[in-house]
């Protein structure tokens, strides 16, 4: 009987299920979008029951597409949107409110209070995170304070918390297992990444009862089995990792210094730093990487706020292109940008600049600048921003960059990949399978049930689709990077902040 691994890929706007074979090949896939709720400006919510129903329905659909049953499934791996917060009743299994999504900014005021209290240094030292409304801690505290009666129920041990992975495991096991993995725990702003345990002082600061919290376990082991009423037979749930850490594992970045970048709406750059957490002096996050050991590896993480979203802006707001794929034609239609730079700071600039008030600009315009130059400049902006992150990541870690592995939708743009290689001065590798987030979850699950034997076994599955070698002359690169730095300086000056 042929066996498959299931990867449940629960994202911010859709739920997907992919079935993989032993070669890491995709055998079946199903995807379903679900609703987003915006009760106020800056607030983002989701219906936790819809998250579950959409994820379960695509699992059923993906299996039915190739006519397999639960007996054909060796294990289930889960990867998920991180930080999104769900609280539910331990007895009834009903959510106490809508899920508060990672994008939601309703608790920004509480972050300012943390800084005023001088508690931000404690959080940074123990969790590796820069205090922000992005993470789960303030979301939990908000629900406990604002949903009537929930605080009292929580104090009696009747309420459970979970990120989306925890919620899915709870539902899949019929309410028998309340668990998360190291990677998701490390994104809550409540977990000591050095001691590998929930931090009681931080919990006390946020007035969060420890009884809410799931057990924290490695990213690759059998946590429980799916309820037979759902899948016909009990399938091992055997791998969990937050989406970006799953992609790092799916790219086989197992050694210190190996790095991947996901080109999506934004960019997520992660570097494996090995057994030692690296503290950043440039605003990068120190986080736990997915692994099979009880003592996990660590990673540095940096984010570009606007990457593919900049191309969507060219299409939807500016009307300069009809499809995202058309951007490649525009880039190749001109020799360069004619001195034009686009700094897409639509929601501020992240590392290494960290200015939330900066706003996007187009600079260097002359009478000869046209549509293709502006489109090319927007595409190049993705590579420039990743270059900036790589430089501070190398500085913080002290590790050299030998090559960059890429994935995500925009990695299909050959011009962008070549330009990225030229700026970094190292090869850029694009794998045959760019569904690395789901693949990483499948690998983690498969290792714990013997579907794959070890990391070398799955490393052999990784295959190179394209390698982009640096070709640009050093003088040209220096000039281009100088122009980018000046453009960023002008961008930062839009709110009176000096780039230097």
């Amino acid at each position: 009987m042929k066996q498959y691994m299931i990867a449940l890929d629960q994202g911010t706007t859709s739920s997907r299920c992919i079935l993989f074979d032993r070669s890491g090949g995709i055998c079946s896939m199903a995807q379903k979008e679900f609703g987003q709720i915006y009760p106020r400006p800056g607030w983002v919510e989701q219906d936790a029951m819809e998250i579950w129903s959409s994820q379960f329905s695509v699992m059923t659909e993906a299996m039915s597409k190739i006519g397999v049953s639960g007996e054909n499934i060796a294990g289930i791996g889960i990867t998920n949107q991180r930080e999104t917060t769900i609280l539910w009743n331990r007895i009834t299994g009903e959510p106490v409110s809508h899920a508060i999504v990672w994008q939601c900014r309703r608790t920004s005021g509480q972050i300012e209070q943390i800084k005023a209290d001088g508690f931000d240094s404690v959080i940074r030292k123990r969790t590796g995170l820069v205090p922000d409304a992005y993470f789960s801690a303030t979301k939990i505290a908000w629900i406990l304070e604002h949903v009537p009666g929930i605080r009292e129920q929580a104090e009696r041990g009747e309420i459970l918390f979970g990120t989306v992975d925890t919620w899915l495991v709870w539902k899949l096991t019929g309410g028998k297992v309340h668990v998360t993995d190291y990677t998701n725990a490390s994104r809550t702003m409540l977990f000591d990444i050095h001691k590998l345990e929930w931090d009681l002082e931080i919990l006390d600061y946020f007035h969060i009862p420890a009884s809410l919290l799931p057990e924290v376990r490695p990213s690759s082991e059998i946590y429980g089995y799916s309820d037979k009423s759902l899948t016909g037979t009990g399938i091992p749930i055997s791998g969990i990792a937050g989406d970006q850490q799953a992609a790092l594992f799916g790219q086989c970045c197992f050694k210190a210094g190996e790095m991947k970048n996901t080109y999506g709406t934004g960019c997520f750059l992660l570097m494996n730093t090995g057994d030692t957490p690296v503290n950043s002096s440039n605003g990068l996050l120190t986080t736990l990487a997915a692994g099979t050991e009880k003592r996990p590896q660590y990673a540095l993480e940096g984010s570009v706020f606007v990457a593919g979203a900049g191309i969507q802006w060219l299409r939807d707001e500016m009307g300069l292109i009809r499809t995202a794929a058309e951007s490649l034609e525009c880039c190749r239609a001109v020799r360069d940008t004619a001195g034009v730079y686009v700094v897409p700071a639509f929601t501020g600039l992240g590392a290494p600049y960290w200015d939330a008030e900066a706003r996007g600009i187009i600079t260097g315009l002359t009478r000869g600048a046209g549509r293709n130059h502006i489109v090319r400049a927007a595409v190049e902006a993705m590579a420039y921003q990743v270059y900036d992150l790589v430089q501070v990541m190398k500085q913080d870690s002290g590790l050299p960059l030998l090559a960059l592995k890429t994935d995500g939708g925009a990695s299909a743009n050959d011009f962008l990949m070549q330009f990225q290689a030229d700026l970094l001065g190292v090869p850029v590798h694009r794998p045959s399978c760019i569904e690395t987030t789901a693949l990483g979850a499948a690998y983690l699950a498969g290792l714990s049930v013997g579907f794959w034997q070890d990391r070398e076994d799955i490393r052999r599955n990784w295959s190179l689709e394209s390698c982009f070698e640096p070709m640009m002359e050093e003088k040209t690169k220096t000039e281009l990077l100088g122009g980018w730095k000046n453009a960023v300086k002008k961008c930062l000056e839009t709110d009176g902040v000096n780039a230097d």
Side-chain angles (χ1 to χ4, degrees), residues 120-132 135 185-195 199 202 277-281 283-288 298-302 354:
D120 53 328
S121 60
V122 175
I123 290 174
R124 183 65 199 258
K125 181 179 179 181
R126 296 182 192 171
T127 71
L129 305 176
V130 178
D132 195 272
F135 306 112
S186 73
R187 309 297 294 190
T188 61
M189 213 163 70
L190 299 170
F191 191 72
D192 189 320
I193 63 172
H194 310 283
K195 296 180 179 179
D199 189 283
I202 298 176
V278 174
N279 294 320
S280 173
S281 57
L284 301 176
L285 303 178
T286 306
T287 195
L288 290 171
Y298 292 85
L300 275 174
E301 178 174 333
W354 288 112

Side-chain angles (χ1 to χ4, degrees), residues 134-200:
Y134 179 30
F135 306 112
S136 308
T138 58
K139 302 180 194 300
I140 300 171
W142 191 94
I143 293 173
L144 291 175
E145 291 302 317
H146 290 83
V147 178
I150 296 305
R151 164 69 65 185
E152 292 75 20
Q153 292 180 45
E155 297 290 352
R156 295 195 298 266
E158 298 172 6
I159 303 298
L160 299 179
F161 153 74
T163 43
V164 171
D165 59 301
T166 302
W167 172 242
L168 292 179
V169 173
W170 174 268
K171 297 297 288 183
L172 281 167
T173 61
K176 295 182 178 68
V177 179
H178 185 220
V179 69
T180 191
D181 84 304
Y182 288 141
T183 67
N184 280 292
S186 73
R187 309 297 294 190
T188 61
M189 213 163 70
L190 299 170
F191 191 72
D192 189 320
I193 63 172
H194 310 283
K195 296 180 179 179
L196 301 179
E197 61 187 29
W198 298 114
D199 189 283
L200 296 181

Side-chain angles (χ1 to χ4, degrees), residues 47 57 67 109 115 121 124 172 220 236 265 271 311-312 334 341 345 355 432 442 447 452 463 469 487:
D47 184 332
S57 70
K115 295 175 182 177
S121 60
R124 183 65 199 258
L172 281 167
S220 179
T265 302
M271 172 191 275
I311 307 305
Q312 294 170 338
V334 290
Y341 287 87
D355 183 0
S432 299
L447 285 168
W452 291 288
S463 61
E469 296 281 353

